[in-house]
Amino acid sequence: MRHFTNVKDLGNLNEAVKEALEIKKNRFAYKHLGENKTLMMVFFNSSLRTRLSTQKAGMNLGMNTMVLDINQGAWKLETERGVVMDGDKPEHILEAIPVMGSYCDVIGVRAFAKFESKQFDYEETILNQFIKYSGRPVFSMEAATGHPLQSFADLITIEEYRETARPKVVLTWAPHPNALPQAVPNSFADFMNEADVDFVITHPEGYELSSTFVRNARVEYDQMKAFEGADFIYAKNWSAFQDPNYGKILSKDRAWTVSDRQMAVTNNARFMHCLPVRRNMIVTDDVIESPRSLVIPEAANREISAQTVIKRILKNL
Ligand code: CP
């Protein structure tokens, strides 16, 4: 693997999950691969899980790790070509990226959608600039349109906890006070569409995701109907994707908050969320604290998904 930006970069998904579960059994078995290699993690946005789990994954593989928070201590970066730089941004990303590349062997990038231009976001402009100009393998730590390390961890978790051969997995929109990107639901759909699961997406009308990610998944606008017989409930908020409402909040309807009411019609489903989560907006205290909640093992598996990806990149260096 050279770069990791979406599910396709993993090749055979069953083999990738198998490899991840092997790594989980002995996470220090590949320490030699990262010896004298440096992992640089570049954050344009905040993080708890991605920062810690990816750094830990790099250390498990014997790598030195460096973290750069672009908005805390680094120069503010201009990202558009052709801009007259007479504002508050003293450095252009087209110089900054090759400089960063000169100090490391592998780069992880977190750069969320900015919601200033759908085209800029959906062309993954920042992530692709790193791929083009760093001269290094690049992996996504959540970019504008996808969060594949999260979805890979989610799939590993589903594999560990599934009780049927082909579980029913429901991705549900839930309310949030802020406009959030579509990256997590996009990637989750991408992975579930490749996995051996019965996949359903439910959201209020107007929250349709890009058809590139939804593909042939069943979309059900009635949340209770979607939850019937579900084995896994994956909750997430996202803002509107479709024009003219791209990046906008269309609803904060708390009837969509995942509670015991909806969980009662499932097949005693496991509850999942990528975290951080707004309690009693996305999910009630009772559901997230229940023994069927997987939010902690899911977060723990972020170390394993990152390690599997970085291991594959190191093997290809
Ligand atoms: N799930 C996730 O990516 O968490 P962080 O934003 O804290 O990294």
Side-chain angles (χ1 to χ4, degrees):
M1 182 190 292
R2 173 74 180 165
H3 305 293
F4 176 68
T5 64
N6 63 57
V7 66
K8 289 187 179 49
D9 295 322
L10 287 174
N12 183 305
L13 207 46
N14 287 334
E15 280 173 21
V17 171
K18 232 164 91 183
E19 186 178 328
L21 293 173
E22 281 304 312
I23 286 171
K24 192 168 181 176
K25 280 188 215 150
N26 182 3
R27 53 193 88 192
F28 303 108
Y30 297 95
K31 219 171 165 56
H32 57 284
L33 284 179
E35 197 183 354
N36 298 330
K37 298 280 190 301
T38 299
L39 168 64
M40 180 178 286
M41 300 160 60
V42 182
F43 288 90
F44 288 81
N45 311 94
S46 304
S47 168
L48 186 154
R49 279 143 291 274
T50 304
R51 173 187 299 258
L52 297 177
S53 63
T54 311
Q55 195 164 0
K56 178 68 164 51
M59 292 191 299
N60 292 349
L61 289 161
M63 300 183 84
N64 302 309
T65 61
M66 298 195 292
V67 180
L68 181 67
D69 285 301
I70 294 292
N71 297 320
Q72 286 171 16
W75 301 113
K76 273 193 184 175
L77 295 179
E78 178 55 61
T79 55
E80 305 262 12
R81 272 191 84 245
V83 169
V84 177
M85 290 174 58
D86 60 354
D88 65 339
K89 294 172 182 157
E91 179 150 24
H92 203 286
I93 199 166
L94 295 180
E95 284 80 57
I97 290 173
V99 168
M100 290 186 233
S102 73
Y103 302 140
C104 65
D105 300 281
V106 181
I107 305 184
V109 179
R110 166 162 284 199
F112 290 175
K114 296 183 182 190
F115 294 143
E116 288 164 7
S117 153
K118 188 175 183 177
Q119 188 180 349
F120 184 92
D121 292 342
Y122 270 72
E123 286 181 356
E124 286 292 9
T125 309
I126 293 180
L127 188 65
N128 283 324
Q129 283 174 329
F130 273 87
I131 289 171
K132 194 165 172 191
Y133 298 112
S134 70
R136 301 294 176 206
V138 172
F139 64 93
S140 167
M141 298 195 301
E142 186 170 347
T145 67
H147 194 358
L149 281 181
Q150 178 65 52
S151 306
F152 188 20
D154 298 333
L155 181 60
I156 294 164
T157 310
I158 289 171
E159 177 60 25
E160 287 179 314
Y161 286 88
R162 72 183 164 87
E163 289 162 19
T164 58
R166 190 176 160 78
K168 178 176 176 182
V169 179
V170 178
L171 166 64
T172 181
W173 179 93
H176 194 282
N178 304 322
L180 299 189
Q182 299 97 32
V184 169
N186 282 346
S187 268
F188 190 71
D190 228 7
F191 273 71
M192 290 305 110
N193 280 321
E194 297 284 327
D196 192 13
V197 301
D198 173 17
F199 181 48
V200 180
I201 304 173
T202 184
H203 55 72
E205 287 193 39
Y207 277 100
E208 291 77 11
L209 294 163
S210 163
S211 58
T212 306
F213 300 98
V214 174
R215 289 189 258 164
N216 294 323
R218 183 151 62 90
V219 177
E220 170 58 67
Y221 294 107
D222 181 334
Q223 191 192 34
M224 289 299 280
K225 215 163 151 186
F227 273 45
E228 281 171 13
D231 299 294
F232 292 89
I233 298 298
Y234 194 98
K236 185 71 184 82
N237 172 268
W238 63 88
S239 60
F241 166 75
Q242 304 293 344
D243 293 324
N245 293 319
Y246 177 65
K248 293 203 174 110
I249 297 171
L250 306 180
S251 167
K252 291 184 187 176
D253 183 359
R254 286 182 49 211
W256 282 75
T257 301
V258 178
S259 69
D260 288 334
R261 178 178 67 87
Q262 295 100 323
M263 294 303 278
V265 302
T266 68
N267 183 26
N268 196 19
R270 300 283 192 171
F271 175 79
M272 300 179 75
H273 187 280
C274 62
L275 304 182
V277 70
R278 300 256 181 167
R279 282 181 178 222
N280 304 308
M281 285 295 291
I282 300 282
V283 58
T284 61
D285 292 318
D286 287 347
V287 170
I288 197 168
E289 290 171 5
S290 90
R292 303 299 285 174
S293 171
L294 293 179
V295 295
I296 306 303
E298 195 182 343
N301 276 335
R302 289 293 307 277
E303 178 183 338
I304 306 306
S305 65
Q307 193 171 333
T308 309
V309 165
I310 300 167
K311 176 200 152 198
R312 287 184 171 198
I313 290 172
L314 288 172
K315 280 200 143 183
N316 193 48
L317 273 184

